[in-house]
Amino acid sequence: MTDDRTAIMAGLRRLGEEGRPASEAARWAMRKMRETGETGDDFGVFQLMVHFFGAYHVPVERLRELERWEGLDTGGPLTDAELDAVVGPLTVRETPPS
């Protein structure tokens, strides 16, 4: 599982360095978490927030908006474009938070 998380973090960092939007990075991470069995129905958004917090400089209050994102397939009202606007550009952390 640790290798899976490390790979997801590396992938998220790469997407941020490429200038990809938050919605694209979130969809990629959710797909990888499902493939590795890291996420369940109740904890997917939490794990996604943890990965985003570790990979990017995004304030927690903005990360909370992921809960309302339509990409989670939970009926959330926040579109990809709105999520991209709320989260803003993905600035990669140089070192993970301690």
Side-chain angles (χ1 to χ4, degrees), residues 42-73:
D42 295 334
F43 298 107
V45 70
F46 177 74
Q47 288 299 329
L48 182 59
M49 285 190 277
V50 167
H51 286 306
F52 261 59
F53 186 76
Y56 309 122
H57 288 284
V58 179
V60 173
E61 61 271 8
R62 289 191 196 161
L63 289 178
R64 297 279 322 256
E65 292 298 315
L66 286 166
E67 295 174 308
R68 298 180 340 106
W69 177 50
E70 68 184 6
L72 294 175
D73 297 326

Side-chain angles (χ1 to χ4, degrees), residues 17-34:
E17 289 167 353
E18 292 174 359
R20 304 297 178 98
S23 59
E24 183 178 337
R27 285 186 194 285
W28 179 88
M30 289 299 292
R31 186 173 56 253
K32 291 298 180 186
M33 288 188 309
R34 286 185 192 110

